[in-house]
Amino acid sequence: MEIRQLEAFRAIAEELHFGRAAQKLYLSQPSISQLLQKLEAELGVLLVFRNSRLVQLTPAGAVFLTETERIFAAIDRGVHLARHAAEAGRGSVRVATNYPASRLLLLPLLERLRTVGSDIGTTLREMGSPSQLAALVRGELDVGLVYGPVDEPGIASAHLLDLPVVALVRAGHPLAHREHLAMRDVLDYPYLTGHLGGSRSIEKRVLEHAASHGVTLAAASDTSDLASHQLVLETTDTIGFSSLTRGQQSEANGLRMLRLQPPEPMLSIHVAWSDATDEPLVNAVVNHLRELAAELGDPA
């Protein structure tokens, strides 16, 4: 039995017309008839009843059509898996990162992979932590660099490093000269945390830090747009809070970065992946990230 015999039978079953079935497969009508005859001869049953006026499946043909569809579905799945395996062999690992991890870990990871001549390649995206976790659950992502701790069913994670939350103000802000920002001073000004990428990790750390100093803050102003965030801080007395990494970038863009009164609130960066994966390339990327984080030490 040959695949082309099954293709001919399926086309005839779908069209119930030998001429149209032949056209569908770019065959002559005698050729498709011969393929069906050979298949019926091998099976020893009549699959298609035909005369000069009618073409229809026999009961045996209807049963065999169902099994034929399963055969072709299995072939399609085999093709998909083979292509996926080939891509994996070429080192395709889908990695996403939030902003600070992209600067602290992702760039060193890419440099390491180039230096060691690794076969591991990456497709990269910058995403907020909640979006990364959702993509990991859906199987659209292999490795994520997120704010932790991670408490998502089906997702494994490992702590990589911590970095402090800092404050940002305009250069002419009344508090710009301070070495450290006391949380009680925040009460006199509006503040925002950005919620960039949908994550409220920074806001949570700020509120916890304020509470530890006996200060209760109202809900932060909400903006999820980086350009709006920067503009508000440049033109008003609003206080912004961010990771140290983004704070350093904002300081380069003209804002003043203030460290918070000790002990500083910390953001933890975790690597996350599906706990169902046993993909060697994914495990290799995770291990590289752990090694890089250990080498980096305390970025504060």
Side-chain angles (χ1 to χ4, degrees):
M1 187 182 301
E2 300 176 1
I3 292 295
R4 61 178 183 159
Q5 293 172 341
L6 297 179
E7 289 175 335
F9 167 68
R10 183 172 66 170
I12 294 167
E14 290 172 347
E15 299 295 335
L16 295 178
H17 189 281
F18 277 77
R20 290 195 298 270
Q23 291 176 357
K24 192 172 186 176
L25 298 181
Y26 302 99
L27 297 173
S28 66
Q29 189 167 327
S31 294
I32 201 168
S33 296
Q34 290 173 5
L35 288 170
L36 176 61
Q37 291 168 6
K38 289 181 180 179
L39 178 61
E40 289 176 324
E42 289 184 24
L43 295 176
V45 297
L46 185 69
L47 298 174
V48 179
F49 174 82
R50 61 267 197 191
N51 58 30
S52 59
R53 299 186 304 275
L54 179 67
V55 176
Q56 67 180 26
L57 292 178
T58 65
V63 171
F64 191 69
L65 177 61
T66 299
E67 297 306 313
T68 299
E69 295 292 2
R70 290 177 180 171
I71 290 170
F72 281 110
I75 291 172
D76 289 342
R77 175 171 170 76
V79 170
H80 172 75
L81 292 175
R83 288 174 176 168
H84 180 75
E87 290 175 358
R90 290 194 297 269
S92 179
V93 179
R94 300 165 297 175
V95 180
T97 176
N98 60 18
Y99 181 85
S102 70
R103 273 56 184 174
L104 295 171
L105 293 168
L106 189 58
L107 296 179
L109 171 67
L110 298 178
E111 180 60 29
R112 169 173 286 200
L113 294 179
R114 284 193 295 266
T115 300
V116 301
S118 171
D119 290 333
I120 302 174
T122 55
T123 56
L124 307 175
R125 300 170 66 185
E126 187 171 320
M127 303 167 63
S129 297
S131 298
Q132 288 189 56
L133 294 175
L136 284 167
V137 170
R138 293 192 301 267
E140 299 170 358
L141 191 64
D142 297 313
V143 176
L145 290 165
V146 301
Y147 289 135
V150 175
D151 185 20
E152 185 75 36
I155 302 300
S157 66
H159 173 267
L160 296 178
L161 55 86
D162 297 307
L163 68 160
V165 175
V166 299
L168 294 165
V169 298
R170 64 183 179 87
H173 195 285
L175 301 177
H177 65 284
R178 300 285 183 89
E179 183 177 351
H180 290 94
L181 180 69
M183 296 311 294
R184 63 179 177 273
D185 293 329
V186 181
L187 292 171
D188 297 327
Y189 301 94
Y191 77 96
L192 55 81
T193 57
H195 306 159
L196 302 172
S199 174
R200 292 183 176 267
S201 296
I202 294 174
E203 181 180 20
K204 182 178 179 181
R205 299 295 177 269
V206 168
L207 294 176
E208 291 172 346
H209 184 62
S212 71
H213 290 274
V215 176
T216 301
L217 296 179
S221 302
D222 190 2
T223 174
S224 58
D225 178 73
L226 181 59
S228 297
H229 187 284
Q230 183 83 9
L231 181 62
V232 169
L233 296 181
E234 289 175 346
T235 58
T236 72
D237 283 343
T238 299
I239 300 171
F241 292 96
S242 75
S243 67
L244 173 65
T245 309
R246 193 179 288 281
Q248 291 169 333
Q249 178 62 47
S250 297
E251 191 170 43
N253 292 334
L255 294 176
R256 174 86 165 90
M257 184 178 74
L258 306 176
R259 303 298 286 257
L260 303 186
Q261 64 187 111
E264 293 178 293
M266 305 297 288
L267 293 163
S268 60
I269 302 294
H270 289 235
V271 57
W273 67 97
S274 170
D275 63 8
T277 190
D278 192 26
E279 170 55 55
L281 295 178
V282 172
N283 294 334
V285 168
V286 170
N287 289 334
H288 279 305
L289 288 167
R290 284 172 156 168
E291 292 170 1
L292 288 167
E295 294 169 7
L296 182 62
D298 183 2

